[in-house]
Amino acid sequence: MFQLLQGKWQHEEDTSNYLVFAGNKRREIAGGMTDWDEEEFILSNKCLNESDKDREHELEEFAYITCPKSDVCWYIMGVGEETLSLQYMARGNMLIYRRVK
C-alpha cells in the first residue's frame, strides 16, 4: 500500500487539487492556496487521529491514512497504478484521484 501511494495525484473533479506522497510526507495544494500543505502521515489499520480514533470502523491493515497534526483521516478505498480512491472519514465523502506522470 505504501509504495502504491507514492507519487503525485490529481483530483478527478477539482483539477486544481493535487496530493503528493513522498516517503512518509503528504503534501496537498488546491485552488486558492499559495503554498503546499505538508505533514507526516501514518498508514495503519484504523484512524489514529483524535477526532476519529473512537469511531467504529472496520479494521483493515494499512488501509487508513492518518495525519495527526491536522487531526484528519482517510480510508483507502482503492489504490492502483493509475487511480486512488479515498473516503474522508470526518464527512464520509469519496475523493478520486488520477496519477500524474
Side-chain angles (χ1 to χ4, degrees):
M1 191 74 72
F2 184 82
Q3 289 301 328
L4 281 172
L5 278 177
Q6 301 299 300
K8 187 174 186 179
W9 302 89
Q10 182 179 31
H11 194 279
E12 190 174 72
E13 293 175 13
D14 178 2
T15 55
S16 72
N17 178 226
Y18 289 90
L19 286 178
V20 176
F21 293 94
N24 67 337
K25 299 279 187 192
R26 177 191 170 275
R27 299 175 66 209
E28 182 173 13
I29 197 163
M33 296 173 68
T34 56
D35 294 319
W36 286 84
D37 180 43
E38 180 178 317
E39 70 179 283
E40 290 186 10
F41 73 92
I42 302 166
L43 272 183
S44 62
N45 65 346
K46 65 177 188 168
C47 290
L48 301 176
N49 62 315
E50 283 299 313
S51 296
D52 295 306
K53 72 177 183 178
D54 295 328
R55 181 186 305 248
E56 288 196 27
H57 46 271
E58 214 172 297
L59 299 179
E60 190 174 338
E61 190 171 20
F62 303 118
Y64 293 86
I65 301 168
T66 299
C67 289
K69 181 180 167 189
S70 60
D71 192 31
V72 293
C73 181
W74 297 266
Y75 171 66
I76 302 170
M77 298 177 71
V79 62
E81 292 298 322
E82 301 296 324
T83 306
L84 170 63
S85 302
L86 302 173
Q87 179 182 18
Y88 181 49
M89 297 305 290
R91 290 192 300 253
N93 55 314
M94 191 163 111
L95 308 164
I96 300 174
Y97 293 87
R98 301 278 177 216
R99 189 178 298 277
V100 176
K101 295 184 181 184

